[in-house]
Amino acid sequence: MTTVWVPQDASARAVGADEVAAALAQVEGVTVRRNGTRGMLWREPLVEVETDRGRVGYAEVTADGIPDLVRAGMLTGADHETCIGVVDDDRWLAAQDRVSLARIGLAEPTDITAYEAQGGWAGLRRALELDPADVVEEVLTSGLRGRGGAGFPTGIKWRTVLEAEADQKFVACNLDEGDSGTFADRILAEADPFTLVEGMTIAAVTVGATEGFVYCRSEYPDAIARLRDAIAVAGEHGYLGEDVAGSGRAFRLQVRVGAGAYICGEETSMLESLEGRRGEVRAKPPIPALHGLWGSPTVVNNLLSFAAIPMILADGGQAYADRGVGRSRGTQIFQLAGNIARGGVYEAPLGITLRELVQDIGGGTRTGRPVRAVQVGGPLGAYLPAERLDVPMGYEELADAGGMLGHGGIVVFDDTVDMSRMARFAMEFCSVESCGKCTPCRIGSTRGVETIDRLRGATDPGERTQLRLLLDDLCETMTTGSLCAMGGLTPVPVRSALTHFPEDFERSRS
């Protein structure tokens, strides 16, 4: 029998992976196994055939094309116009420094034996051997900062919860990935859910939490199913439950499904939703680390932060800190999206430049036209012009360039984009997604849409000057007066579009 791997994550299924798997299952002598994506989304469905040389890949396979591929020798790894060779040797894949993504695509996502064979649970076992304060010290040494966007040091958050006196503590994972152009959380949850389970369990046994929640948006049904299956399997094998890995410490984990509101990516809104209320921002202080779920100390981290923890504990915090640039240590999973030739997830040490990611790794635009703008950090991130792509990807480095790292999303636009429309989209997005609690965000975003519309339509120079001043004042009010980052950061893309692409606001008058 020949073993053939067909990805089952949502990205591959959206372009026919299920049909390809069904067609291959009809071929005599073939055993079909379903893995997660390798992250090369432009090549999906990427079918891999086990051979003596390794797993040989065939890109963009269709169900109708299976008979021709089989006749061409696909099952022996024969060359073909769709063949990319041994997948592990592929330049795009091999050039990455995969820490959190190290295991995606290698096995069935809930194969716990394969997970352990690939180094899984080593971090948890070491964490259970250490004093909790020493675990926190390893995380501090690593320099890991929140990968959800805020960039707050993870170790300080854990230490705050560890030192808090309480009968009940919680761990919560934010998997409400709502930024446009981001999908790393989903891919990792679908392809390697045990890494998240292990990272959260390490957090729990460290700070003394016995209950944990993964908060996942309803638009991710495959991720929800995979995580629930993985939690059940981990419980059956003793990695969750009343006696984690024989340590005598308890940790129970469950998935909670949100309705998909963008604001629930903000940690206090997520906590409100987890408690059964409308997702709405809480004023801080008190901080969730001291007064989180149901008033108890709570570790709240993004999925990518938890996913880095197993390696940090297994190899030591210094090994993680040896990667990176400046105060931005470790690796980041960059998500290449928008008008880009080679879209997907790419893990590399922080400090890689935006130009390397967009041009060398991403291959430039899919249309073949020149890159005009790149948005980094989601819908609230700045639009950087093509001449500023040499900025290193780090928290401080991007801030100095007027941008932000956010969740690592990178959306590319070619020279046909109208940046005045993108500025309007930023305000419109905020007006739709605002939780409505504070006035600058709720009202300011609506007035922002109206003001940009008037600016785009104005022909009188004096009126245009007044509208620019009004828009500047509005942006300043939203930045300084909003309760959370939603309203506070919405002016960032607007101002960057006005600064770098002022001609688009002129051009749109015609």
Side-chain angles (χ1 to χ4, degrees):
M1 297 290 284
T2 301
T3 299
V4 178
W5 294 85
V6 182
Q8 62 173 348
D9 77 293
S11 305
R13 293 181 63 209
V15 289
D18 287 345
E19 291 78 6
V20 170
L24 281 165
Q26 301 302 312
V27 179
E28 186 177 353
V30 167
T31 297
V32 176
R33 300 181 70 178
R34 304 299 299 269
N35 57 337
T37 180
R38 294 274 199 152
M40 300 180 282
L41 300 188
W42 81 98
R43 285 173 165 162
E44 297 293 1
L46 176 65
V47 173
E48 300 177 47
V49 181
E50 288 193 0
T51 72
D52 293 340
R53 294 184 290 138
R55 283 160 61 164
V56 175
Y58 295 84
E60 299 180 81
V61 175
T62 64
D64 292 342
I66 293 297
D68 286 343
L69 277 171
V70 172
R71 280 193 292 273
M74 170 194 187
L75 299 183
T76 59
D79 196 16
H80 186 270
E81 60 183 359
T82 65
C83 181
I84 66 168
V86 176
V87 176
D88 288 337
D89 296 339
D90 182 79
R91 182 172 173 270
W92 199 89
L93 196 62
Q96 299 188 40
D97 183 7
R98 288 194 159 181
V99 172
S100 300
L101 296 180
R103 286 177 282 262
I104 68 164
L106 299 181
E108 280 107 341
T110 55
D111 183 344
I112 199 167
T113 302
Y115 180 76
E116 182 154 17
Q118 294 156 2
W121 309 117
L124 175 60
R125 281 193 287 271
R126 180 161 182 260
L128 290 170
E129 294 169 355
L130 296 175
D131 184 87
D134 292 333
V135 176
V136 169
E137 196 58 37
E138 286 285 10
V139 179
L140 285 167
T141 299
S142 75
L144 177 65
R145 297 164 68 176
R147 295 294 191 251
F152 189 81
T154 303
I156 291 178
K157 186 179 290 187
W158 286 26
R159 184 168 62 190
T160 303
V161 178
L162 171 64
E163 294 176 350
E165 295 290 336
D167 294 332
Q168 178 67 61
K169 299 178 183 178
F170 296 98
V171 173
C173 172
N174 190 338
L175 212 171
D176 195 59
E177 192 171 47
D179 282 357
S180 50
T182 62
F183 39 84
D185 288 3
R186 177 187 60 76
I187 281 180
L188 203 145
E190 292 179 1
D192 182 21
F194 288 128
T195 288
L196 172 60
V197 172
E198 184 178 357
M200 292 187 70
T201 306
I202 291 171
V205 299
T206 300
V207 303
T210 56
E211 301 286 342
F213 300 92
V214 179
Y215 185 84
C216 186
R217 57 178 39 233
S218 58
E219 289 94 332
Y220 284 180
D222 288 5
I224 293 166
R226 207 82 70 241
L227 281 166
R228 284 177 169 159
D229 289 346
I231 289 169
V233 172
E236 292 167 3
H237 286 75
Y239 291 107
L240 290 173
E242 304 307 313
D243 183 19
V244 173
S247 66
R249 288 181 255 184
F251 181 54
R252 296 168 289 274
L253 181 61
Q254 58 180 289
V255 178
R256 291 286 181 89
V257 180
Y262 181 81
I263 196 62
C264 287
E266 195 280 336
E267 61 177 355
T268 62
S269 293
M270 184 193 74
L271 296 177
E272 286 287 298
S273 182
L274 276 172
E275 292 180 10
R277 289 190 289 273
R278 181 173 181 265
E280 193 172 72
V281 174
R282 295 177 183 174
K284 292 187 284 190
I287 58 174
L290 296 174
H291 193 88
L293 276 173
W294 295 285
S296 296
T298 303
V299 170
V300 181
N301 282 132
N302 172 261
L303 180 147
L304 298 187
S305 303
F306 283 122
I309 294 297
M311 176 271 178
I312 289 171
L313 265 297
D315 297 345
Q318 190 58 51
Y320 192 77
D322 287 343
R323 301 165 164 92
V325 61
R327 292 175 53 209
S328 304
R329 311 312 307 170
T331 63
Q332 172 71 41
I333 301 174
F334 298 103
Q335 297 127 89
L336 307 179
N339 189 344
I340 194 163
R342 297 193 284 268
V345 287
Y346 194 95
E347 186 169 6
L350 288 159
I352 189 173
T353 69
L354 185 55
R355 188 177 303 282
E356 289 176 280
L357 287 165
V358 172
Q359 298 289 9
D360 301 341
I361 296 163
T365 65
R366 189 172 180 84
T367 57
R369 300 182 66 89
V371 173
R372 184 163 190 244
V374 179
Q375 187 175 36
V376 180
L380 309 183
Y383 293 106
L384 299 177
E387 58 269 24
R388 292 201 175 187
L389 299 189
D390 291 316
V391 59
M393 299 294 282
Y395 294 98
E396 285 70 30
E397 291 76 9
L398 276 163
D400 290 343
M404 65 177 191
L405 181 61
H407 189 46
I410 295 171
V411 180
V412 179
F413 301 86
D414 72 12
D415 61 352
T416 63
V417 66
D418 180 343
M419 297 307 297
S420 70
R421 291 184 61 193
M422 301 312 299
R424 185 187 189 280
F425 169 75
M427 286 291 189
E428 183 182 30
F429 181 83
C430 182
S431 69
V432 172
E433 296 290 347
S434 172
C435 75
K437 185 162 185 173
C438 70
T439 303
C441 178
R442 183 183 71 250
I443 303 299
S445 54
T446 298
R447 297 289 91 85
V449 172
E450 296 167 354
T451 305
I452 291 174
D453 282 345
R454 290 171 61 194
L455 178 60
R456 296 174 76 217
T459 56
D460 179 74
E463 182 185 8
R464 292 182 58 79
T465 299
Q466 290 301 313
L467 288 169
R468 279 293 304 266
L469 289 172
L470 179 61
L471 189 56
D472 284 342
D473 283 349
L474 184 61
C475 286
E476 186 64 22
T477 300
M478 292 177 69
T479 299
T480 58
S482 295
L483 196 55
C484 77
M486 176 84 205
L489 293 179
T490 291
V492 171
V494 176
R495 282 172 156 164
S496 65
L498 285 164
T499 299
H500 300 302
F501 310 98
E503 65 275 18
D504 283 22
F505 294 83
E506 296 280 346
R507 186 190 307 158
S508 60
R509 288 181 296 160
S510 60

